[in-house]
Amino acid sequence: MTGHTKRFLLNRFIFSIFGILLLLPLISQGSNPISRTDTTYRRNPGTVSPKGPYRPARAKKSEIIYTRLDVQFDWVKQQVPASAVLKFKPHFYPQNTLELDAKGFDIKGVVMLDTVGDYGSLTTEEIAKKVVKKLEYSYDKRKLIIKLGQNYTKKDTLLVKIDYTARPNDVPRGKADDSVTDKGLYFINADGLDEGKPRQIWTQGETEGSSCWFPTIDAPNQKFTQDFFITVDSSYVTLSNGLLIDQKEGKKGTRTDHWKQSLPHAPYLAMLAVGNFAVAKDMMPNGLELSYYVEPKYGPDAHAIFGRTPEMIGFFTNVFGVQFPWEKYAQIAVRDFVAGAMENTTATVHEEAVQNDTKSLVDGNSDAVIAHELAHHWFGNYVTAEEWGQLPLNESFANYSEYLWSEYNDGKYEADWGNLQEMKAYMLESETKQEPMIRYFYKDRENMFDSHSYAKGGRILHMLRNYVGDDAFFAALQDYLKTHAFGTAEIDDLRESFEKITGQDLNWFFDQWFHRPGHPALKVQQDYVAATGKVTLKVRQTQDTLATTVYRLPLKVDVWVSGKKNSYEVLIEKANQTLEFPAAKKPDLVIFDSDAQLLGVVEHEKNRPEMQFQYLNADRFLHKYEALSQLEGAMADSTVKNIIEKAMTDPFWKFRQMAVSNFAEYDGVGFVDIEKTIQRLAGSDPHPQVRAEAIITLASFGDNNSDPIFRAALSDSSYQVVSVAIEKYLMGQPNDANEIAAQFENSPNDAIVTSVANYYAGLAQPERFDWFLQKMKSMIPTEKYNFLQVFGKYLIKSKQDIQRKSIPVLEGLARDNTSYFVRFGAFQALGLLTDIQGVTALRKDIRAKETEPKLKEMYSQFGDL
């Protein structure tokens, strides 16, 4: 699963709402300090540590081998009348009960079935004739305990049938392990009253949501095959795991679709989706069918959105050394999804933001999340972490697969730019949270889904790859996958595969990176002694070594002398260590960790000439980025200015963008030529982010020289560039401002509409109120949050009658919108209207009744904003 969103397309949102979210840990740090104890707690059942109770893999009393579901849907009650046939056997010890997770059901009855027959091919009437006897059971709305009537051994295989109604909106809460929001199955716009929003049903099983809609042993160390029979109105399309075997027309305009998965997977990966979708298809050379389910208006764009999937499958098959192991691969975009995406076996679910028209994809695509969920079909689905505390075995690999795909498809610099963003995400989290990657003690399994399991884990794998080499790294992955195919694993299984392939003991690596919290913090002091002809590096590990460890760090050091580079392999393994390297004269530059692979903080002071040399001569993205970042703000130095000018022609777009942004509000030497260069980039740079940055920088100059550039950019191929150009062009209040605004006010792109709205907000025309509401209603959640900020600007400038009209609209969004950040945006907008009687009390009530943990935390920190 991922919360990943398209890094570029959601830029504004990231800097607004996520900026607030990422600040939360920093603000609360004083009251929630990082634990600095290094006490080891025994992994005994029942042991409780300050981090939480010991979490072993679920004990296997019985194993579910097969599940058949027959489901229908009551849209009015938002319930699921269903029956489940479960084939199971005792794992090892004799059993006289079957204990199932079944949350919030109405149980109608439980029977034992004859074990003879292929239950995937039987009709419901034929199954009714297979009943052997009724079974007694006890049920507390969480656990269904079926009494089997006698002891059965591991040689016995049994079948039971459970008739029930799932009530996902009535899932019980209150126990420590209960998720606050998970309900497994979601009805979207069930009553059809939300105009413009499709009616849909979809499921989300991770971590233990599947047992909210069908009875099972809801643990990742269970694996079963399945037949799902889904009865829907014949106008709807369905999707589930495996292959669509059959479709049968039923009574009153219904149809039953039979989806069969013949390969075993974990319960949390079971899924279904129902709705009105356009379906596009691809075919792999080996006959594997790929399908892409999108809302009908995006049907023509489906291949543009997902069309790189076939090449991804081929790429991952090659690097992982294992063929795509499943029967098909489908991807579906749904409304109001509760995660970024979910890797359900053969049927990945994406949030709606993955859907874009083809032109939008000029600004960036969803390849990262598509690659992430696809990679899970090896790491997570094919080989599954046996317990949620072992989650990095799933998520770290999926995260690193984003890097692998980007490295292959976009080049190493692009992959390293993404790598840096992931590193920053972990480092920010580490300010208030440092946990072992593998967690045997925790309070809430949902807390495993953090930047440790994702971002840090991906960077650890990058270091491991760098240490053992590509051939050994991918050979070890192949061994791990083949050894544990269709099974489960824990971290030692991964270590053993790497040791088997490399012939080395790697306990040191896995201990410090997977079993210890934190990361190395290194202070490097550089000196040169001409008399000895040596450069020395005094390296001190400054992290809290009691809370973490003294790290063992194999890495490389590059020493540049007279323009020539020499590389040295070194091993840092002490808290304080001195390294010496020959140097005939004072080095031009020394680069510590020259492979730029270390997960950690390195403090290595360098002067400005060294940073200039580093940008011009280093070949790694991170070192060039570091140098250019350090040179920012030093434009008074003519050498720095010349280097930043040179960076505007760098082959990599990010460096061009950084260089252009450095000239914002510049009025120094050579301004005329610099302005001309930036004008050229605004019109012709191949990357839209550089063109957009150029427009922003040109607008900062405060002259009118670039108005024709802004006007021309209104027809740019990039929506992002157009949205920035509209904002900057209209800022100058040209004579055709109203004409331009009218031209773009109905754009299919939300960012462009928001730029137009910003202009209209400044005018504060009462007749625009309905326009604001209409545009906001149809926006995806991320853009709706941005739009709410502009709507707030409109309200501030409007008269009280308009402000009063907005209050019920904002209240509805703040209370009921499915996206917590939209609720927060509406709450913020209401905060601009507190001069109106009753609004302060209304906000207080909204805040008090909020249940989403993230939003409650935001209210506690920023509730008065």
Side-chain angles (χ1 to χ4, degrees):
M1 178 170 64
T2 180
H4 290 60
T5 46
K6 292 167 285 186
R7 291 187 180 94
F8 174 69
L9 292 180
L10 303 184
N11 233 8
R12 296 185 187 182
F13 172 69
I14 289 170
F15 282 112
S16 52
I17 185 68
F18 281 163
I20 292 172
L21 284 173
L22 293 175
L23 282 172
L24 288 176
L26 300 179
I27 291 170
S28 61
Q29 185 170 356
S31 60
N32 185 27
I34 298 170
S35 172
R36 293 301 181 188
T37 60
D38 191 29
T39 303
T40 300
Y41 290 86
R42 296 184 65 188
R43 284 179 259 165
N44 289 339
T47 299
V48 178
S49 81
K51 298 291 186 181
Y54 170 55
R55 304 286 186 170
R58 181 88 70 95
K60 284 188 177 182
K61 297 178 182 178
S62 298
E63 292 185 63
I64 296 180
I65 302 166
Y66 166 80
T67 299
R68 168 179 171 147
L69 298 182
D70 290 84
V71 299
Q72 305 175 53
F73 304 100
D74 185 332
W75 289 83
V76 175
K77 296 180 180 179
Q78 297 189 40
Q79 296 178 358
V80 185
S83 68
V85 173
L86 305 181
K87 180 186 288 188
F88 67 97
K89 66 184 183 69
H91 176 70
F92 186 84
Y93 298 107
Q95 302 292 325
N96 58 18
T97 61
L98 174 64
E99 182 177 313
L100 300 172
D101 299 295
K103 303 186 185 90
F105 294 177
D106 290 334
I107 304 294
K108 310 299 184 183
V110 182
V111 296
M112 183 174 286
L113 299 176
D114 187 348
T115 59
V116 177
D118 175 8
Y119 277 81
S121 63
L122 300 181
T123 65
T124 54
E125 293 78 11
E126 290 170 331
I127 292 175
K129 297 176 182 178
K130 292 279 190 178
V131 174
V132 174
K133 63 179 179 179
K134 289 184 178 181
L135 295 174
E136 294 182 357
Y137 61 89
S138 62
Y139 182 52
D140 65 357
K141 291 296 182 179
R142 298 170 184 271
K143 295 285 187 181
L144 174 62
I145 300 176
I146 301 171
K147 299 175 182 178
L148 302 176
Q150 67 179 73
N151 276 338
Y152 290 93
T153 72
K154 64 180 182 179
K155 297 179 180 179
D156 296 312
T157 300
L158 300 95
L159 284 114
V160 296
K161 177 173 175 282
I162 304 157
D163 293 313
Y164 67 98
T165 297
R167 302 170 58 178
N169 292 340
D170 299 317
V171 171
R173 312 287 184 198
K175 288 196 173 181
D177 285 348
D178 290 338
S179 169
V180 176
T181 56
D182 282 358
K183 56 183 183 179
L185 186 144
Y186 297 76
F187 287 84
I188 305 302
N189 195 19
D191 56 14
L193 296 180
D194 194 343
E195 184 180 353
K197 175 180 279 191
R199 299 175 80 210
Q200 295 177 350
I201 298 169
W202 46 260
T203 61
Q204 167 58 14
E206 195 173 41
T207 53
E208 294 184 8
S210 289
S211 53
C212 297
W213 64 281
F214 69 92
T216 190
I217 301 175
D218 208 350
N221 62 352
Q222 292 281 328
K223 298 263 178 138
F224 55 72
T225 61
Q226 66 188 53
D227 286 284
F228 285 5
F229 293 80
I230 306 169
T231 299
V232 294
D233 186 285
S234 58
S235 63
Y236 288 130
V237 173
T238 71
L239 176 65
S240 189
N241 312 99
L243 299 174
L244 181 59
I245 299 299
D246 187 34
Q247 295 182 299
K248 289 184 178 178
E249 297 299 324
K251 299 176 181 178
K252 299 181 180 180
T254 63
R255 186 189 71 250
T256 299
D257 292 351
H258 175 193
W259 292 89
K260 183 181 189 67
Q261 179 160 300
S262 59
L263 299 169
H265 70 159
Y268 76 90
L269 298 167
M271 71 81 68
L272 62 78
V274 177
N276 182 16
F277 298 99
V279 184
K281 294 183 182 294
D282 273 327
M283 188 73 73
M284 294 293 289
N286 64 357
L288 180 76
E289 181 183 280
L290 312 181
S291 52
Y292 319 125
Y293 291 65
V294 294
E295 292 177 29
K297 73 174 183 177
Y298 292 106
D301 306 300
H303 278 99
I305 298 166
F306 296 112
R308 290 161 302 284
T309 304
E311 188 174 0
M312 287 184 187
I313 290 177
F315 169 70
F316 287 137
T317 292
N318 182 54
V319 296
F320 297 155
V322 175
Q323 284 285 337
F324 181 79
W326 305 98
E327 298 154 299
K328 73 147 196 299
Y329 190 54
Q331 298 176 82
I332 187 169
V334 302
R335 291 292 185 101
D336 299 343
F337 196 50
V338 292
M342 179 63 208
E343 66 274 12
N344 308 298
T345 310
T346 77
T348 286
V349 177
H350 292 275
E351 65 171 338
E352 64 196 273
V354 77
Q355 299 176 125
N356 284 285
D357 62 45
T358 301
K359 183 175 179 179
S360 293
L361 299 174
V362 170
D363 292 319
N365 55 44
S366 295
D367 274 15
V369 69
I370 291 170
H372 181 110
E373 307 307 332
L374 175 60
H376 269 309
H377 282 72
W378 286 268
F379 296 95
N381 301 13
Y382 186 57
V383 179
T384 308
E386 69 173 17
E387 204 281 325
W388 297 114
Q390 304 278 334
L391 185 67
L393 289 172
N394 298 356
E395 295 299 348
S396 299
F397 277 104
N399 178 280
Y400 190 54
S401 294
E402 298 175 39
Y403 180 93
L404 294 174
W405 169 253
S406 182
E407 182 183 39
Y408 162 80
N409 190 64
D410 308 313
K412 186 164 178 54
Y413 270 30
E414 189 72 45
D416 286 342
W417 167 235
N419 190 66
L420 178 61
Q421 305 316 301
E422 297 295 318
M423 178 87 80
K424 287 180 177 180
Y426 161 69
M427 288 297 178
L428 189 57
E429 182 176 271
S430 73
E431 293 289 334
T432 54
K433 179 180 184 179
Q434 292 187 13
E435 302 281 356
M437 291 292 293
I438 303 302
R439 287 167 244 181
Y440 297 103
F441 298 87
Y442 59 83
K443 294 176 182 177
D444 185 347
R445 58 184 176 271
E446 303 300 330
N447 291 338
M448 287 296 306
F449 294 83
D450 57 12
S451 285
H452 284 62
S453 294
Y454 288 76
K456 183 181 182 182
R459 313 294 65 76
I460 290 171
L461 292 174
H462 190 58
M463 287 189 296
L464 183 56
R465 175 187 173 192
N466 189 80
Y467 175 70
V468 302
D470 277 14
D471 289 347
F473 181 79
F474 292 112
L477 298 192
Q478 181 183 41
D479 181 80
Y480 169 78
L481 290 169
K482 289 185 175 180
T483 301
H484 305 285
F486 297 110
T488 61
E490 56 183 337
I491 193 65
D492 285 342
D493 296 317
L494 181 67
R495 175 182 54 79
E496 287 172 1
S497 284
F498 271 90
E499 291 180 340
K500 174 182 174 182
I501 294 300
T502 63
Q504 299 179 24
D505 177 84
L506 291 171
N507 273 294
W508 65 270
F509 185 95
F510 281 76
D511 176 69
Q512 69 184 18
W513 291 113
F514 285 103
H515 293 294
R516 298 273 185 160
H519 54 267
L522 307 178
K523 186 167 185 177
V524 180
Q525 181 181 334
Q526 178 180 329
D527 291 299
Y528 177 69
V529 180
T532 62
K534 290 182 179 180
V535 60
T536 63
L537 298 181
K538 293 181 179 178
V539 183
R540 183 161 61 94
Q541 298 197 31
T542 63
Q543 73 277 0
D544 185 340
T545 55
L546 292 179
T548 58
T549 188
V550 174
Y551 284 86
R552 184 177 194 266
L553 305 172
L555 46 80
K556 292 181 182 178
V557 176
D558 283 354
V559 180
W560 293 77
V561 178
S562 299
K564 182 182 178 182
K565 179 180 75 174
N566 285 295
S567 294
Y568 302 93
E569 294 186 357
V570 300
L571 178 64
I572 305 299
E573 57 182 346
K574 299 175 182 177
N576 292 280
Q577 196 166 340
T578 299
L579 307 174
E580 291 186 342
F581 309 98
K585 57 186 291 190
K586 185 176 182 179
D588 306 309
L589 175 70
V590 175
I591 298 181
F592 185 84
D593 182 32
S594 57
D595 282 338
Q597 50 82 45
L598 181 63
L599 169 66
V601 177
V602 177
E603 183 184 341
H604 182 190
E605 189 174 328
K606 298 175 187 176
N607 59 35
R608 192 175 293 167
E610 287 173 319
M611 283 301 185
Q612 294 165 4
F613 188 93
Q614 183 166 312
Y615 171 74
L616 294 172
N617 293 278
D619 58 1
R620 296 283 184 172
F621 163 83
L622 186 61
H623 300 314
K624 293 176 78 72
Y625 178 88
E626 176 193 36
L628 205 55
S629 297
Q630 290 296 318
L631 294 173
E632 287 180 346
M635 301 288 275
D637 184 324
S638 60
T639 303
V640 172
K641 171 184 162 293
N642 292 337
I643 287 175
I644 292 179
E645 273 194 85
K646 178 180 175 64
M648 288 198 290
T649 63
D650 196 283
F652 187 55
W653 69 268
K654 184 60 188 176
F655 297 142
R656 298 197 303 276
Q657 182 195 35
M658 292 172 68
V660 168
S661 70
N662 264 271
F663 285 104
E665 301 182 354
Y666 181 76
D667 60 358
V669 176
F671 172 78
V672 173
D673 290 337
I674 288 169
E675 184 176 42
K676 287 179 180 178
T677 298
I678 297 174
Q679 287 175 336
R680 177 181 56 78
L681 292 172
S684 62
D685 192 276
H687 201 286
Q689 287 209 48
V690 179
R691 299 199 300 275
E693 194 70 54
I695 291 170
I696 293 169
T697 298
L698 290 170
S700 77
F701 294 154
D703 56 29
N704 295 319
N705 296 343
S706 297
D707 285 356
I709 304 292
F710 302 158
R711 188 71 168 77
L714 299 178
S715 58
D716 195 277
S717 61
S718 157
Y719 281 141
Q720 192 222 4
V721 173
V722 173
S723 69
V724 171
I726 289 172
E727 183 177 328
K728 301 308 178 185
Y729 183 69
L730 295 180
M731 186 186 301
Q733 299 182 335
N735 293 331
D736 61 349
N738 289 336
E739 176 188 338
I740 294 299
Q743 177 184 342
F744 288 99
E745 69 176 28
N746 294 314
S747 169
N749 181 262
D750 290 343
I752 290 176
V753 172
T754 300
S755 291
V756 174
N758 188 53
Y759 171 71
Y760 286 155
L763 301 179
Q765 298 165 329
E767 61 270 22
R768 281 290 170 190
F769 180 77
D770 289 338
W771 179 87
F772 272 93
L773 296 192
Q774 176 196 358
K775 294 303 177 184
M776 184 162 52
K777 185 173 183 179
S778 61
M779 286 185 170
I780 63 173
T782 46
E783 288 296 344
K784 189 172 292 187
Y785 175 86
N786 297 329
F787 194 83
L788 277 165
Q789 313 310 302
V790 177
F791 186 49
K793 174 182 174 181
Y794 170 77
L795 293 176
I796 289 175
K797 291 178 173 289
S798 297
K799 295 180 178 179
Q800 267 211 4
D801 61 327
I802 293 295
Q803 293 178 349
R804 290 182 184 279
K805 284 175 65 176
S806 74
I807 291 173
V809 176
L810 294 172
E811 179 186 2
L813 289 170
R815 291 191 189 277
D816 302 326
N817 193 271
T818 54
S819 298
Y820 72 88
F821 44 84
V822 173
R823 299 201 297 276
F824 183 64
F827 182 84
Q828 286 178 303
L830 283 169
L832 303 173
L833 308 178
T834 51
D835 289 344
I836 299 175
Q837 186 176 1
V839 171
T840 298
L842 177 64
R843 294 178 85 231
K844 184 177 181 181
D845 185 66
I846 290 169
R847 174 176 170 175
K849 293 178 178 176
E850 179 58 54
T851 60
E852 165 61 46
K854 292 177 184 176
L855 187 47
K856 289 173 71 175
E857 177 68 9
M858 291 165 67
Y859 283 156
S860 70
Q861 301 291 348
F862 298 99
D864 293 331
L865 293 183

